[in-house]
Amino acid sequence: MPRSLYGKIIADADRILFPDTILLRTVQYGLVHFPLLNPEEQIERVLQHVMNKYGENGYMTLWIDTPFNVGRLDAIRTMLRSEDEVKKRCWQILHSIYQS
């Protein structure tokens, strides 16, 4: 938790709130830290993590409600309303990783 206005500014500035970037990083983390999960399990883990962190009742906090970060968080939450869309994007990410 930031202890000053400066800390809040820095904390929010360091956020990368782009839906595709969040999904990519979460997939990559899962592949490294949970290598025994099959692709369906990886996708379910991604969905649960992103929902728990960025969902309507998620634990991620915006310290300063800048229009940019609020808009990006809204985009993530909009994406999360369609579980099928999240899974489709995760499959695309996994496919591109396995093709490399």
Side-chain angles (χ1 to χ4, degrees):
M1 170 180 268
R3 295 178 294 195
S4 67
L5 177 58
Y6 179 73
K8 290 177 182 180
I9 291 168
I10 297 300
D12 276 3
D14 282 346
R15 296 194 190 285
I16 298 177
L17 296 175
F18 294 99
D20 288 334
T21 302
I22 288 168
L23 292 179
L24 173 63
R25 288 180 170 188
T26 308
V27 167
Q28 289 172 329
Y29 181 91
L31 292 173
V32 170
H33 294 280
F34 304 99
L36 299 179
L37 295 181
N38 67 41
E40 290 83 9
E41 293 168 328
Q42 289 287 354
I43 291 171
E44 189 59 36
R45 192 199 69 75
V46 169
L47 183 61
Q48 291 306 310
H49 170 74
V50 174
M51 186 69 74
N52 289 337
K53 185 170 184 177
Y54 300 100
E56 296 294 335
N57 297 313
Y59 63 83
M60 203 270 318
T61 301
L62 288 177
W63 301 106
I64 301 172
D65 290 335
T66 62
F68 182 79
N69 278 351
V70 169
R72 296 288 80 216
L73 184 57
D74 286 344
I76 295 165
R77 289 179 174 163
T78 298
M79 174 189 69
L80 288 172
R81 289 188 194 107
S82 173
E83 188 174 310
D84 289 339
E85 179 63 24
V86 175
K87 288 180 178 183
K88 176 183 165 190
R89 289 182 182 196
C90 288
W91 275 113
Q92 291 169 341
I93 291 166
L94 284 169
H95 181 72
S96 68
I97 289 171
Y98 290 136
Q99 292 295 326
S100 299

